[in-house]
Amino acid sequence: MADEIVSPSGLPIAPVYRPAPIDYDATLGDPGVFPYTRGVQPSMYRGRLWTMRQYAGFGTARQTNTRFRLLLEKGQTGLSVAFDLPTQMGIDSDSPRALGEVGRVGVAIDTVEDMHVLLDQIPLDTVSTSMTINATAATLLAMYIVVAEERGIPRSKLSGTIQNDILKEYIARGTYIYPPAPSLALISEIFRFCAEDVQSWNPISISGYHIREAGATAVQELAFTFADAMEYVAGAIRAGLAVDHFAPRLSFFFAAHNDLFEEVAKFRAARRMYSRLMRDRFNAGDASCRLRFHTQTGGVTLQAQQPLNNVVRVTVQALSAVLGGTQSLHTNGYDEALSLPTAEAATLALRTQQIVGYESGAALTADPLAGSYYVEALTDAIERDAMALLERVDELGGAAKAIEAGFFQEEIARSAYEFQLRVERGETTIVGVNKFADGSEIPVFPSPDFSALEREQVTRLKAVRGARDAMATSSALAALGAAASNYSVDDDSPRAHLMPLIIDAVRTRASVGEISDVLSGVWGNYRPGM
């Protein structure tokens, strides 16, 4: 029908919704009770607000530390670190492959000395830190632990998250290094290590955010994220870990986009879907069935035209995350479609969260939109369609095999293309872009001197290499390489524990690139289609 209205995920929207029969305990339940549709804590934000965790990272460790301390002074309650592409790809700043990329999309970290500067004057025993890092996650976690160790802070006092979600890199981002088999085995090793040694640390943040940023719908975001999660859980169990030993610390990362009600319904459906998957597939206990997630407002929704409009977009998105029961939230700066966020924009983004939390009333009761005929219908529809899509992944043999077959990539590309067509035809309105445009010029923001930044970072790295005990570093790297050799086969036989060896290498001031080179020398490098 020409007048049919659908949500951004293509779900038909009726002109009015009426009561539908429900089994309250089976489909909703009170907050804090399986299936957790209404939230993972009984009183939700009345007990404690979500963590206000603004994502930041650019240039050198010193510059990023300055931004971190500014945000903490203004009321931020957790750190979130963005790393530059060389750090994400296991490439040192003085490598020819890093030329022109050092410090551009995040902070450059080469050795634990950089991590010391990054975290200077930040109380690691009271502030939790999230690190958006994947292929080199083990090394960056090791650096964080060594910084704490060298300050006299025990591992038991550390809390935070490493993203560590390599499957979505193969699907949507591309910052992978090693082939899937050893990468997945290393993730299981990190699960084991954190469960035993850093028990307040989340060993993975399984990310739907980047899948959504690549063009996925809300339904695809849930289906593909949980397909990845099932792969990680099954792999850890095959590696000998008991599900309730590691699963309570699994965390997730979702996007919040502009359709307020679809996003709220998505978060509610996500909790119910995950709890049922964990119980039905793995016989997991209640603590392992609770979906805990961080949310970031949608980067891809930000527009360079009329950039102040982004303040409103971010506010709507933040409200959806709070009404949907997020545990942690980042709100984007209005200028991020144009440049690295200015201190003013970053502060306003934080103030947006604080106004939602302290002034809007959205945090006064758990799941305030529950019982809305519309929201409940949307929640059911999103769960139904996401489960159907997940079953298609299962038919292909799970996430890893679906990635090899190109299934995720093709589905996301199709959704992204269809969205762009709708925008170009004017069927989807973007205020200030394809409707209500005023012809104003796009602002130009000054750019940092990245060449000077790169020279500074390279000089610092060379100084660390010159001062360290070269024999100790070589010995630690050799031990790591020898242990990594039994990760190179595609089976689930017992493997050496790599995390203690990576920590040993970090202590000797081995660099991110040197550790990555040792592992890729044993495991090889992933090449799609090969």
Side-chain angles (χ1 to χ4, degrees):
M1 294 175 57
D3 59 351
E4 182 182 38
I5 303 295
V6 298
S7 78
S9 289
L11 302 171
I13 304 300
V16 65
Y17 285 83
R18 297 181 177 85
I22 62 168
D23 182 336
Y24 181 84
D25 290 332
T27 62
L28 295 176
D30 289 343
V33 177
F34 187 93
Y36 305 108
T37 310
R38 303 197 60 198
V40 293
Q41 300 294 338
S43 63
M44 287 303 292
Y45 305 131
R46 286 178 74 137
R48 182 172 70 89
L49 286 182
W50 62 92
T51 301
M52 298 181 187
R53 191 186 300 280
Q54 292 299 100
Y55 186 51
F58 52 90
T60 64
R62 178 59 63 197
Q63 290 172 306
T64 303
N65 173 264
T66 299
R67 176 63 59 86
F68 281 164
R69 288 192 285 117
L70 168 71
L71 289 168
L72 289 171
E73 288 167 6
K74 293 187 179 296
Q76 176 171 297
T77 52
L79 300 180
S80 183
V81 188
F83 297 95
D84 71 355
L85 281 175
T87 304
Q88 294 181 50
M89 297 294 293
I91 301 167
D92 284 337
S93 295
D94 62 349
S95 167
R97 295 171 61 204
L99 187 64
E101 293 292 343
V102 175
R104 278 192 177 267
V105 299
V107 61
I109 299 291
D110 288 304
T111 72
V112 72
E113 294 296 341
D114 292 324
M115 188 67 85
H116 267 293
V117 174
L118 179 71
L119 301 172
D120 184 38
Q121 299 181 59
I122 292 172
L124 303 186
D125 52 349
T126 59
V127 172
S128 68
T129 303
S130 174
M131 296 190 282
T132 301
I133 197 76
N134 297 285
T136 54
T139 303
L140 273 296
L141 174 58
M143 288 183 174
Y144 196 93
I145 289 169
V146 171
V147 167
E149 176 184 281
E150 292 178 352
R151 289 191 193 173
I153 301 171
R155 296 176 187 180
S156 61
K157 296 288 188 181
L158 302 181
S159 62
T161 306
I162 43 173
Q163 192 164 102
N164 200 26
D165 176 5
I166 203 63
L167 290 175
K168 69 94 175 50
E169 297 297 321
Y170 303 127
I171 294 169
R173 285 194 76 237
T175 62
Y176 45 72
I177 303 174
Y178 321 114
S183 295
L184 290 170
L186 179 56
I187 288 171
S188 293
E189 154 68 0
I190 295 170
F191 286 4
R192 179 208 62 78
F193 173 78
C194 288
E196 294 176 2
D197 281 54
V198 201
Q199 295 178 350
S200 294
W201 197 274
N202 300 320
I204 195 167
S205 175
I206 306 165
S207 176
Y209 180 86
H210 300 95
I211 290 170
R212 189 72 178 277
E213 288 285 286
T217 65
V219 166
Q220 290 171 330
E221 181 184 1
L222 291 196
F224 297 161
T225 302
F226 291 144
D228 290 348
M230 297 302 100
E231 191 83 44
Y232 293 129
V233 173
I237 291 171
R238 288 196 303 270
L241 300 180
V243 65
D244 291 328
H245 186 54
F246 67 87
R249 297 305 306 182
L250 302 185
S251 64
F252 288 78
F253 176 22
F254 293 117
H257 278 212
N258 290 330
D259 190 301
L260 177 71
F261 295 105
E262 182 174 80
E263 293 301 300
V264 171
K266 178 191 75 179
F267 297 129
R268 299 175 82 249
R271 278 191 296 272
R272 186 161 72 208
M273 186 175 172
Y274 181 70
S275 69
R276 290 171 169 171
L277 286 167
M278 290 297 288
R279 180 163 291 185
D280 294 347
R281 297 193 180 194
F282 304 110
N283 195 30
D286 281 355
S288 299
C289 293
R290 291 188 179 97
L291 177 73
R292 300 174 305 111
F293 61 91
H294 171 74
T295 307
Q296 181 172 338
T297 57
V300 74
T301 69
L302 301 176
Q303 305 300 325
Q305 298 91 334
Q306 301 178 23
L308 285 175
N309 293 346
N310 293 328
V311 175
V312 185
R313 292 185 178 102
V314 167
T315 303
V316 171
Q317 294 165 11
L319 186 59
S320 78
V322 171
L323 293 172
T326 192
Q327 278 63 66
S328 173
L329 179 61
H330 164 88
T331 35
N332 290 327
Y334 70 84
D335 54 359
E336 288 186 43
L338 300 162
S339 68
L340 292 168
T342 60
E344 176 192 36
T347 300
L348 179 59
L350 176 60
R351 294 288 183 254
T352 301
Q353 292 201 49
Q354 291 165 336
I355 290 169
V356 170
Y358 293 101
E359 297 187 25
S360 74
L364 296 183
T365 189
D367 195 20
L369 290 183
S372 158
Y373 307 144
Y374 180 37
V375 169
E376 297 298 357
L378 271 179
T379 302
D380 292 344
I382 289 172
E383 182 186 19
R384 179 195 65 232
D385 286 11
M387 278 301 304
L389 191 52
L390 177 57
E391 287 166 5
R392 291 176 63 190
V393 176
D394 291 340
E395 290 168 2
L396 292 169
K401 286 187 167 54
I403 290 167
E404 291 175 7
F407 175 73
F408 295 126
Q409 300 92 317
E410 290 173 8
E411 291 290 308
I412 294 168
R414 184 180 300 110
S415 294
Y417 178 65
E418 290 172 354
F419 173 80
Q420 187 59 36
L421 288 180
R422 291 195 301 273
V423 171
E424 292 176 4
R425 292 193 296 256
E427 297 167 3
T428 294
T429 296
I430 301 178
V431 174
V433 177
N434 66 351
K435 197 169 186 179
F436 310 114
D438 59 11
S440 58
E441 292 187 3
I442 295 174
V444 177
F445 286 77
S447 178
D449 185 347
F450 287 109
S451 295
L453 249 161
E454 185 171 307
R455 289 193 296 272
E456 178 183 343
Q457 186 65 20
V458 169
T459 298
R460 180 175 173 80
L461 173 58
K462 289 180 176 177
V464 173
R465 286 199 182 122
R468 72 190 182 186
D469 183 335
M471 288 187 64
T473 303
S474 296
S475 176
L477 291 172
L480 176 61
S485 62
N486 67 359
Y487 279 67
S488 61
V489 292
D490 190 6
D491 63 33
D492 297 303
S493 58
R495 296 182 171 94
H497 291 167
L498 289 192
M499 276 304 299
L501 296 172
I502 294 172
I503 292 171
D504 286 345
V506 164
R507 283 195 193 104
T508 72
R509 275 42 188 175
S511 68
V512 171
E514 290 166 336
I515 291 170
S516 297
D517 286 348
V518 165
L519 297 179
S520 61
V522 177
W523 297 340
N525 292 284
Y526 178 67
R527 296 289 182 267
M530 295 180 64

